[in-house]
Amino acid sequence: MRLITAMILGSALALFGCDSDGGAGGTAGTGGTAGSGGTGGSGGSGGMSAGEAPVITMVAWAPVGACTGGVGSDYTVTVTATDADSDAADLIYDGSVAGCTGQIDDVTSTISCPNAAPYAGTVVVEDGDGNVSNTINFTIAVCATDSVTP
């Protein structure tokens, strides 16, 4: 009777599969129990890992050319990031600076600011697996060349 029950359950698993969560990683299995004269089974492996998130190591900015307070100018914003399990070319940059035009969308981006006050910005980096870095906050002072290292 146990053999028949085991065969029916085995057939059901083979027919319907046991990955009902849409591909997300599963939990680790448990070790088997020792039978009469046998050894316990080995534990199952955990589900797939999505990898590590990128790490922003520096955000730097500098005005392009001459800069005067109250007169708009361009700034170059450079984001330095690493990712242990992705190529640098696969990283996606996303950021902005309030009060300025343009997006931070690459390792080096150009934005335009009116140079009337300090401007607060944020940036994140995402890898191809959907892992996102911590948000880095920074402030661009009028006509300043500076950087932050989180």
Side-chain angles (χ1 to χ4, degrees), residues 2-121:
R2 287 185 188 179
L3 178 63
I4 293 172
T5 303
M7 290 175 66
I8 291 172
L9 288 175
S11 297
L13 284 175
L15 190 66
F16 297 108
C18 56
D19 185 16
S20 62
D21 60 0
T27 57
T30 59
T33 59
S36 57
T39 59
S42 62
S45 61
M48 289 178 47
S49 170
E52 295 184 35
V55 175
I56 298 175
T57 57
M58 185 171 67
V59 179
W61 57 92
V64 177
C67 185
T68 303
V71 178
S73 65
D74 289 345
Y75 286 80
T76 299
V77 179
T78 303
V79 181
T80 306
T82 61
D83 190 345
D85 59 355
S86 296
D87 292 330
D90 295 333
L91 298 178
I92 302 163
Y93 297 78
D94 184 28
S96 62
V97 179
C100 301
T101 59
Q103 284 293 115
I104 301 169
D105 57 5
D106 208 341
V107 172
T108 301
S109 301
T110 301
I111 60 169
S112 296
C113 299
N115 292 322
Y119 301 98

Side-chain angles (χ1 to χ4, degrees), residues 123-137:
V123 66
V124 296
V125 178
E126 182 177 344
D127 65 18
D129 297 325
N131 300 307
V132 180
S133 70
N134 289 331
T135 300
I136 303 303
N137 298 302

